[in-house]
Amino acid sequence: MTQKTIRLLMPQWQGGNNPNYSFGAELLAWLAPDNDQPLIHVPVQAYDGTPLENENGMHGRTQLLEQLKSAQHLIDAHKPDRIVMFGGDCLVEQAPFAYLNERYGGELGLIWIDAHSDLVNYVGYDNGHALPLGNLLGEGDKDFAQHVKVPLKPDHVFIAGLAAPTEQEAEVISEAFQRLGITTAEADTEVIQRLGIRTASSEELASSTEPVKKWIKENGIKHLAIHLDLDVLDPKAFRSLLFANPEDPFKLSPAGTMQLPQLLKLLKELSEETDVVGLGITEHMPWDAIYLKNLLGEIPILNK
């Protein structure tokens, strides 16, 4: 029986409070191999120069909730078996993965390939892209978590590529937190331990993907969704990341260390191990293209 696959383009930027995420999402969808899978655009309010309001501890809360509902509506209308999501900030993953967990009877497996857990909110940072995995587990932010009808099982979640800060990074992050007044009531490590979520760093997976394969077998995961935050990659090797901004590198969390060949090997082996029904790719920041686009926008002959 043929399975229905849809692609969603959701150029959401409000979750990271950075308009550049929109262009990154659009370019990502354009770069993907062309096929007969329909590409569906999720409406996102474009940046108009107005700063986002901090609404009860989250920038752009109202817009983000509206866009979440739009994504849910489109997915429900198409009733797909498989979903590919091009983002945008990481919060775009909530609607497709929540749907897929319902679609597969609450037994969906989710591998979160990310340098960061996206489980807890840092008070003072207040950006929604820090919480999608927490929301999907029924934790996170209550306004968003209530839209997850069937929360994911913690033992069906594996975080791959989780980065621990180097001594130098930890010092820089601490100084930045103090300067910006950022605090957190509950560290992500506490949530991971409390829920029993399995994790592995890029270094641990470099020699073998056996920990992930073992997790799939032990939990009988027949259907798998993959979250790929490009921030898992080493910014020295892959430059289209928030952490590789040539003007103002992001210093509020540790950078990823995974290499592109290692990432590709992991993705291919996951596809051989079980049925991949979801893939989300997020946080694409193509700095050279962004700066060139801005330059072209200022050239008189191109704008007459």
Side-chain angles (χ1 to χ4, degrees):
M1 187 174 68
T2 303
Q3 291 197 312
K4 181 178 181 181
T5 304
I6 64 169
R7 296 182 176 190
L8 296 174
L9 169 56
M10 190 170 179
Q12 180 170 279
W13 59 274
Q14 293 92 340
N17 198 10
N18 190 328
N20 288 319
Y21 281 126
S22 291
F23 179 61
E26 291 161 0
L27 184 56
L28 191 62
W30 182 81
L31 288 168
D34 193 19
N35 58 25
D36 59 359
Q37 296 169 356
L39 180 64
I40 299 154
H41 293 249
V42 180
V44 169
Q45 188 169 326
Y47 178 65
D48 62 3
T50 306
L52 293 177
E53 290 185 25
N54 190 319
E55 305 170 72
N56 190 25
M58 184 180 293
H59 294 109
R61 178 182 294 272
T62 299
Q63 292 178 25
L64 288 167
L65 283 168
E66 289 174 354
Q67 290 160 192
L68 170 64
K69 293 172 187 175
S70 294
Q72 289 174 321
H73 175 77
L74 287 167
I75 294 168
D76 289 341
H78 286 270
K79 294 182 171 55
D81 302 296
R82 301 180 178 190
I83 302 174
V84 175
M85 170 64 86
F86 299 114
D89 63 72
C90 286
L91 197 56
V92 303
E93 305 289 46
Q94 178 171 331
F97 293 165
Y99 166 86
L100 287 170
N101 195 37
E102 283 187 71
R103 167 72 178 77
Y104 294 102
E107 297 295 327
L108 181 74
L110 173 60
I111 182 161
W112 201 259
I113 305 176
D114 201 322
H116 317 106
S117 70
D118 294 342
L119 283 167
V120 298
N121 189 41
Y122 291 87
V123 178
Y125 179 59
D126 295 344
N127 288 340
H129 70 162
L131 287 168
L133 183 54
N135 298 338
L136 286 163
L137 287 161
E139 306 228 344
D141 183 279
K142 61 180 178 60
D143 285 348
F144 289 82
Q146 70 180 355
H147 290 278
V148 180
K149 295 178 184 176
V150 182
L152 286 158
K153 295 179 178 180
D155 57 2
H156 278 214
V157 174
F158 191 111
I159 305 174
L162 195 61
T166 63
E167 190 174 323
Q168 184 179 8
E169 281 179 327
E171 189 175 321
V172 172
I173 291 168
S174 178
E175 289 175 358
F177 274 27
Q178 289 178 12
R179 185 175 68 254
L180 298 172
I182 296 173
T183 60
T184 180
E186 187 174 28
D188 57 354
T189 51
E190 294 173 321
V191 179
I192 288 168
Q193 291 171 1
R194 172 166 57 84
L195 297 180
I197 296 172
R198 294 200 205 181
T199 69
S201 67
S202 294
E203 290 72 22
E204 290 171 323
L205 295 173
S207 57
S208 172
T209 57
E210 192 56 37
V212 181
K213 293 178 181 178
K214 183 179 179 183
W215 163 74
I216 289 172
K217 291 188 177 94
E218 287 181 356
N219 290 282
I221 291 170
K222 297 179 180 178
H223 304 287
L224 181 71
I226 301 172
H227 161 74
L228 171 55
D229 181 342
L230 293 172
D231 282 345
V232 77
L233 293 167
D234 181 350
K236 296 187 293 294
F238 184 76
R239 306 297 299 166
S240 297
L241 306 174
L242 187 64
F243 291 82
N245 185 345
E247 293 186 354
D248 184 22
F250 189 74
K251 296 178 180 177
L252 295 178
S253 56
T257 58
M258 193 174 286
Q259 304 298 312
L260 277 167
Q262 180 188 357
L263 174 60
L264 181 58
K265 180 175 182 286
L266 175 59
L267 293 171
K268 284 186 173 181
E269 291 191 7
L270 287 170
S271 299
E272 293 168 357
E273 202 69 25
T274 188
D275 182 21
V276 176
V277 296
L279 171 64
I281 310 175
T282 63
E283 313 250 334
H284 181 217
M285 281 287 193
W287 292 113
D288 288 345
I290 289 167
Y291 290 134
L292 181 58
K293 183 175 186 290
N294 292 340
L295 183 145
L296 294 174
E298 295 295 326
I299 298 176
I301 195 173
L302 296 177
N303 292 279
K304 289 184 178 178

